[in-house]
Amino acid sequence: MSEKLVIQTQISGQKVEAQFIGSIDEDASFEKLTGLHMTEYVFDFAQVKLMNSCGIREWIKFLEQLPSSSKTIYKNCRQIIVEQMNMVQGFLRENAQIESFYAPYYCEECDKESQVLLKMSDVKDRKAPQSLCPTHQCPMEFDAIEQQYFNFIRSK
Amino acid sequence: MAKVLFGKNISAGKYQLLLSSLKSFPDLLSDQQDQALWLVTDNAYDVQSYHDDNAIELIIMACEGDDSEHIQLAKNFPKLQHLLGANAPYEEDELVKMWAELTCQNQWGPQSIVEDCLFERRLYFCDSSSIAQSIDQLLNEQDFGAHLIGQIDYFKTTANELITNAFYHSPFGPKDRKNKINLKDDQSIVFEVAINQKRLAVSVTDSYGLLSWDKMVKAIARAQEERRFVDEGEGAGLGLRMVFDNSNQIIVRHCPNRRSEVISVIEHYKRQLDFKQRIKSFHYYMRDHL
C-alpha cells in the first residue's frame, strides 16, 4: 500500500489549517475538509512525500468543491508542488495566496544543495532572492530556471 | 539495413558530429540502392520537407530550444522518432548507442544504456497496491544520494507513474485507478534501475506492448498544450508529461502486442539548474520481435 494521505486539521473560528502528510495520489481523500464550509483554508504541504498525476486530479477536484467565496492559502510548498502549480491549470484557485514555498539553491563553495523556504514577499519581479548557505554562511546560487520556477507568480 | 541521409539544411558542426558517431557503422553510409533512408538533421524545416517522401523511413533530429516544440514536431511528423538534445553531456555516446540499437534490434533492459553498472536492481510487480511502498523500500535500502542530487523526488514520481501506467494499460484488470490490480506471475511488470558514473536509468517493461509512439507523444503534447487533467479516461493524462519533465532522455522500445519498455534516463549533474537546462532526448525503437 502507498502511504495513505493523513490530514491533520486545526480549526479556529471560520479558518481551518490543514497539514498534509504522506502521498497525494488516487487514494487521497479530502472529505475531512470538504464538509467544513469555512471561509479560509490554509494548506500546509511541508510533509507531502509524493504527488502523482492522479493525485493532482483529486486535488483539483477537491478545490472545486470548496465554497467559491472562501480564501485559500498555500504554505510550505515543496518543489514537487511548485512544479505542478506551474504546469497544471486549476492547481491554484483563482484568488489563492501563496504564503511560502521551497526553492532549490546551490553553494559552490561547499558543493551542497539546499531547499530554502521563501516567502512570497521575498521574490521581486520573479527573481530569486539571495540566500546564504546554512553550513558556512557563504552566498548560494538559485538552482533552477527563474522564469520557469516563478511562473506561478505571474499565472496566479 | 538502411542508409543515412543528411538533411540539406544540417549545420556543419552537427554534420561533423553525426559523421563521427557513424565511424563504427560504415554500412549506414554505403551507397547501395533501394535502401530505406534515415534522415538526419538539426533543422525543423528538413523534417517538414522530407517527411512525406516515401523513401524516408525515420527521421533523427538534433534539437535546440524548447522541449515542448520538439514534442509538437514529433506529433505532427510521426517519422520523427529520435530527438537528440543538442546540449546532451555525452552527445556522441548517445548517438553511437542509438545507431547500435537501430541496427541491432534486440536490446531490452537498461543495461545497453548504462554500461559498466555500479548498481543494478530488478523488481517484479504483480500487485498494484505495492508500488509506492516498494520504491520507498528500494530507496531506503540503497543510498542513491550521490547519483540523484536533488532528483530523488523526480525518481519517485517517474517510477510511480511508469509502473502505474503499465498496470492500468494492461488488458488484464480494471482501468479505474482506485481499483487495485493483481496480475499473474507471467503478466508481471518489470521495474529495473541501473546506475553508472554517467547516468541512472529507470526501466519499466510490460508484457503486452500497447504503448505506442503515437500514444506517448500525443499524451505528452496534450498535457503540455492544455495544462489540464482529463476526467473521462482512467488516468489523469498528466503522468507521461511528468515523466518527460523529470527525465533527460526517454527511450521507448515497442514490440506491438507483445512488449513495451519505457526507460527514463537521469544524467548525473552537480546542479539542478544544469539538469533542467539539458534539452531532452527522446528515442523510439520499434521491434518486430522480442
Side-chain angles (χ1 to χ4, degrees), chain A residues 1 26-27 51-53 57-58 61 78-79 83-84 86-89 111 113 141-144, chain B residues 129 150 153-154 160-161 177-178 180 227-228 230-231 234-236 241-242 270-273:
Chain A
M1 289 291 285
E26 53 279 10
D27 297 324
M51 189 170 212
N52 72 8
S53 55
R57 178 168 66 187
E58 296 306 313
K61 284 182 166 184
R78 297 192 57 227
Q79 188 172 345
E83 287 175 346
Q84 297 319 314
N86 285 326
M87 283 306 298
V88 186
Q89 280 186 23
D111 189 21
E113 56 151 13
E141 288 173 41
F142 183 64
D143 207 16
Chain B
S129 65
D153 286 331
Y154 294 157
N160 185 292
E161 293 295 340
R177 304 214 174 183
K178 287 183 190 288
K180 298 306 168 197
R227 300 176 63 216
R228 290 179 191 280
V230 286
D231 209 9
E234 45 279 354
R241 192 225 77 215
M242 291 167 84
K270 234 177 181 184
R271 297 191 53 168
Q272 278 201 47
L273 181 64

Side-chain angles (χ1 to χ4, degrees), chain B residues 79-99:
Chain B
K79 286 181 187 172
L80 176 57
Q81 294 176 359
H82 295 271
L83 304 163
L84 178 86
N87 61 354
Y90 309 102
E91 202 176 0
E92 186 161 347
D93 176 56
E94 193 181 324
L95 279 164
V96 171
K97 285 186 166 64
M98 180 190 73
W99 299 126

Side-chain angles (χ1 to χ4, degrees), chain A residues 1, chain B residues 124-131 134 167 180-183:
Chain A
M1 289 291 285
Chain B
Y124 295 90
F125 284 90
C126 288
D127 175 5
S128 66
S129 65
S130 69
I131 300 170
S134 301
F167 266 103
K180 298 306 168 197
I181 295 182
N182 275 299
L183 299 173

